[in-house]
Amino acid sequence: QVQLGESGGGVVQPGESLTLSCAASGFSFKNYGMHWVRQAPGKGLEWVAFVRFDGDNKYYQDSVKGRFTISRDNSKNTLYLQMTSLRPEDTAVYYCAKIRSSRQWLILASWGQGTLVTVSS
Amino acid sequence: DIQMTQSPSSLSASVGDTVTITCQASQDINNFLSWYQQKPGRAPKLLIYDSSNLETGVPSRFSGSGSGTDFTFTISSLQPEDVATYYCQQYGDLSLSFGGGTKMELK
């Protein structure tokens, strides 16, 4: 049974940094690409970033390029999102999501419960 | 980037009704479209992928169709547990994008 558990959210001031973690279990983490998706309070879903199974290929939403870095540690079954220069518009629940299969890497098959990031002065 | 226009934004229906949601892409995405269900306070759940393929374990009352730019999601015989917000998501482009969501309520 796939389990994904996000942590690291909290309240930060504009311009500050924060790193989110996503602990994975119940599947062979090293074989699956992973995504981050966020949802501002009361709003819809917004894709943030993707990392390939081996960490080599990474893709980002334009609004976070240069500020956010997605990474993974396959020895720890953990996905990360390093967020710098945070803005109030980055306030959201951040979800990690597992791809459906190696060939279906843009389909978000399993999601964690999310962690809330609030950027406010 | 590909924009996804989803309608309606809200929908009220009775138990047993058939309900339909549409999603339009700003450019051709072939059949690279998924549908997700999100219940209040919960994470989204994949229901349908590749426009019409039902995810494992999802009830058969959920269905999807379409290709190119126009897509449809249908719930036949609406159940109380289907109260949720539904989102389409395109993956015809590496910059994934979602529709604005349809909030489903019971009459």
Side-chain angles (χ1 to χ4, degrees):
Chain A
Q1 175 187 357
V2 172
Q3 291 197 330
L4 299 168
E6 301 90 340
S7 61
V11 180
V12 296
Q13 295 192 342
E16 292 188 338
S17 300
L18 200 61
T19 297
L20 307 182
S21 300
C22 169
S25 62
F27 67 101
S28 182
F29 180 74
K30 65 181 181 181
N31 290 330
Y32 288 86
M34 297 289 294
H35 293 262
W36 285 100
V37 176
R38 67 185 179 183
Q39 186 170 35
K43 302 297 184 183
L45 300 166
E46 181 184 34
W47 173 77
V48 174
F50 167 79
V51 62
R52 209 174 69 163
F53 68 97
D54 56 6
D56 276 357
N57 284 46
K58 304 175 183 181
Y59 303 99
Y60 297 92
Q61 173 66 250
D62 284 347
S63 63
V64 307
K65 274 180 189 172
R67 300 189 300 124
F68 289 12
T69 302
I70 189 171
S71 63
R72 62 191 297 157
D73 186 337
N74 286 344
S75 69
K76 295 182 178 179
N77 288 348
T78 302
L79 174 73
Y80 301 100
L81 186 67
Q82 295 175 272
M83 305 183 293
T84 64
S85 302
L86 282 162
R87 305 166 180 168
E89 55 265 35
D90 295 319
T91 294
V93 172
Y94 285 73
Y95 297 100
C96 61
K98 168 190 167 290
I99 64 172
R100 193 172 190 275
S101 73
S102 59
R103 296 181 65 183
Q104 298 169 309
W105 57 284
L106 296 175
I107 299 171
L108 310 173
S110 302
W111 299 59
Q113 287 307 301
T115 186
L116 176 62
V117 173
T118 302
V119 184
S120 174
S121 54
Chain B
D1 290 0
I2 298 175
Q3 310 302 318
M4 303 302 294
T5 303
Q6 187 175 338
S7 62
S9 57
S10 64
L11 186 53
S12 181
S14 301
V15 172
D17 283 353
T18 294
V19 297
T20 298
I21 299 169
T22 63
C23 198
Q24 187 171 59
S26 60
Q27 62 190 73
D28 190 338
I29 58 168
N30 200 331
N31 67 331
F32 299 137
L33 186 103
S34 293
W35 291 95
Y36 298 85
Q37 174 193 65
Q38 186 178 32
K39 296 184 178 181
R42 305 289 298 274
K45 174 186 175 182
L46 175 66
L47 299 179
I48 288 171
Y49 62 95
D50 291 348
S51 177
S52 60
N53 290 338
L54 203 63
E55 175 67 325
T56 304
V58 174
S60 59
R61 64 179 181 274
F62 296 99
S63 64
S65 65
S67 67
T69 60
D70 296 304
F71 301 86
T72 299
F73 172 79
T74 300
I75 308 174
S76 59
S77 188
L78 188 71
Q79 299 300 302
E81 59 267 32
D82 299 337
V83 169
T85 299
Y86 295 85
Y87 294 93
C88 61
Q89 174 238 323
Q90 67 79 21
Y91 43 102
D93 184 273
L94 280 179
S95 185
L96 309 182
S97 53
F98 293 84
T102 297
K103 186 173 183 179
M104 184 86 64
E105 297 175 331
L106 286 180
K107 277 184 184 173

